[in-house]
Amino acid sequence: MNLSSCLEAERVLVNGRFIVTQAVVACLNVCGIVLCVYVTALIAISQVLHLNLRILLVNLSALLCLRSALTLNRSTVSIFEAFTYKNSCDLVKEAESCKAYSAIAAAPYESLVFAFIGISIERCLATIAYKHYEKWKFPFAAVVLAPITWINIALIISKSIGKKMPERVLYRPYCSTVTTGYVDFSKLFNYNIPVIIVSFLLFLAVYIICKRKLRLFIASKIDDLSSRYQLVENVKSTKVLAILSSIYTVLVLLTLGAVVAISYMHITDLAEFAIIKEISSFSMPIYINVHSIVFLTQCQHIRLRAVRLFRRRPFTERKMGTSVAPVMSAKQHMDLLEQMWSTANK
């Protein structure tokens, strides 16, 4: 470790603009994690979505929260060290530990594509077997698809930790996926991006197919209640998932484009490089917030449950205001169900 690296680390990590970027990342991640946990709890207890879909959505949220927690840890540690360091050399990190942490933090990010493709496969299965899918109680699809994401994370982490340490210890004044050389652009462009685009196309196909079938069945008065219910669930849930996957794809492309641009810009000032790199990494903190907001705005049953939790009336008021619902005939009940199903086409 030489003095120049220590001074460079101090110039980068104690920079006011760099600290502000870390503070923004921390705030976005805290808000995102809290909101995601809350919405995920609502999804988990919801009886509207199929059990397979609920498990896979919880799996997706867990990956998002894990990624955000790791990013939050990095930003808070950076801010803490910037205000508490006593020697500039305390800010310098070992190159191998930087690379290992980059791999661990990137593992959930890389595994998100498996979560999305798993959900798209489950939705395809729900579309193909829509006549019987709603009656399947055992979540075999989720049991098979959900662990794949965590197996991939385990492989990435074990690979990064299991590498042989070099004889000579190197130090870096600033740690990132670019400076450590962890980013594999060929893998991202040849594998990750095509997979997430395929999942979006599958969501779109499921949405179109189910919506057409639902219109046909409502018009012709055929198929049983279970089939119609499953088609309605497919239409509504797949619409939300298509929105989420498209937003995720756009953010990933923007992030990768920024990282590629940074890599080829050859910025000589490390402080400027660090600030630009941190700003380019806002995509995931932004996405975890958008992820929850989309569910709250697009899923009516989740939104109503969330609103109901914040608008609980006092017990005495609920007791005085209770009333018995009027008895409906079979025809009235069927008319009500027809109105509910028809909303999926609007």
Side-chain angles (χ1 to χ4, degrees):
M1 184 188 304
N2 53 47
L3 182 60
S4 61
S5 296
C6 298
L7 295 175
E8 187 72 358
E10 184 179 28
R11 194 174 70 86
V12 173
L13 302 178
V14 189
N15 185 295
R17 289 182 296 166
F18 182 82
I19 294 174
V20 169
T21 60
Q22 296 300 295
V24 172
V25 170
C27 291
L28 287 173
N29 280 315
V30 169
C31 294
I33 291 172
V34 172
L35 194 58
C36 187
V37 169
Y38 177 65
V39 172
T40 303
L42 295 178
I43 292 172
I45 63 177
S46 171
Q47 298 299 317
V48 176
L49 301 176
H50 194 276
L51 182 58
N52 274 318
L53 181 58
R54 278 184 281 159
I55 293 174
L56 291 173
L57 287 175
V58 170
N59 180 60
L60 175 63
S61 298
L63 289 172
L64 289 171
C65 289
L66 177 59
R67 164 68 181 187
S68 295
L70 291 169
T71 309
L72 176 62
N73 175 71
R74 178 177 178 270
S75 58
T76 51
V77 168
S78 179
I79 294 171
F80 178 78
E81 290 180 344
F83 287 101
T84 59
Y85 79 100
K86 296 180 180 179
N87 189 307
S88 59
C89 290
D90 295 338
L91 301 172
V92 180
K93 307 295 182 185
E94 290 186 9
E96 288 302 315
S97 64
C98 282
K99 193 168 185 177
Y101 191 83
S102 295
I104 293 170
Y109 181 78
E110 294 182 10
S111 298
L112 278 171
V113 294
F114 291 101
F116 273 110
I117 199 69
I119 296 173
S120 63
I121 292 172
E122 186 273 339
R123 289 292 84 189
C124 289
L125 181 62
T127 302
I128 295 170
Y130 71 94
K131 292 186 178 181
H132 308 286
Y133 192 75
E134 192 266 336
K135 299 176 183 177
W136 296 350
K137 302 302 180 184
F138 183 75
F140 65 92
V143 170
V144 173
L145 296 171
I148 295 175
T149 56
W150 300 98
I151 292 172
N152 185 61
I153 290 176
L155 290 174
I156 293 173
I157 294 176
S158 62
K159 184 179 178 181
S160 63
I161 295 176
K163 287 184 177 180
K164 185 179 179 181
M165 297 292 290
E167 296 180 0
R168 182 185 175 187
V169 179
L170 300 176
Y171 295 90
R172 293 187 182 277
Y174 169 66
C175 290
S176 74
T177 52
V178 177
T179 57
T180 58
Y182 176 76
V183 178
D184 186 353
F185 293 111
S186 61
K187 179 183 176 182
L188 292 172
F189 284 103
N190 296 331
Y191 175 71
N192 292 52
I193 293 177
V195 168
I196 192 64
I197 292 175
V198 167
S199 67
F200 167 73
L201 294 176
L202 287 175
F203 288 138
L204 192 61
V206 168
Y207 176 77
I208 294 172
I209 292 170
C210 291
K211 195 164 186 178
R212 286 181 178 177
K213 282 188 176 182
L214 189 60
R215 284 177 178 174
L216 174 64
F217 295 156
I218 291 175
S220 59
K221 308 291 184 181
I222 61 175
D223 261 25
D224 57 14
L225 297 179
S226 178
S227 299
R228 291 193 185 187
Y229 179 85
Q230 188 58 51
L231 286 172
V232 170
E233 187 216 32
N234 288 357
V235 170
K236 292 184 176 181
S237 62
T238 308
K239 178 183 177 181
V240 176
L241 294 167
I243 293 172
L244 289 174
S245 63
S246 62
I247 294 172
Y248 178 75
T249 304
V250 171
L251 288 175
V252 168
L253 289 174
L254 289 175
T255 302
L256 292 178
V259 171
V260 171
I262 292 170
S263 301
Y264 287 96
M265 284 170 65
H266 301 294
I267 302 173
T268 56
D269 188 347
L270 186 60
E272 293 296 326
F273 172 86
I275 293 168
I276 296 172
K277 171 61 182 66
E278 295 301 322
I279 293 174
S280 70
S281 302
F282 281 3
S283 60
M284 287 309 296
I286 291 173
Y287 179 77
I288 192 173
N289 287 276
V290 172
H291 175 87
S292 303
I293 292 171
V294 168
F295 270 107
L296 288 173
T297 55
Q298 297 297 318
C299 293
Q300 185 179 10
H301 61 280
I302 293 177
R303 182 174 66 254
L304 292 177
R305 186 180 287 270
V307 171
R308 199 179 300 123
L309 290 175
F310 286 101
R311 291 185 179 179
R312 287 191 177 276
R313 295 179 298 171
F315 176 76
T316 54
E317 184 181 345
R318 292 201 305 269
K319 187 175 180 181
M320 293 175 61
T322 55
S323 60
V324 179
V327 178
M328 291 190 297
S329 64
K331 184 179 183 305
Q332 289 174 325
H333 185 70
M334 292 303 298
D335 290 340
L336 180 61
L337 290 176
E338 288 288 347
Q339 292 176 6
M340 293 172 60
W341 291 325
S342 63
T343 56
N345 294 311
K346 294 181 180 179

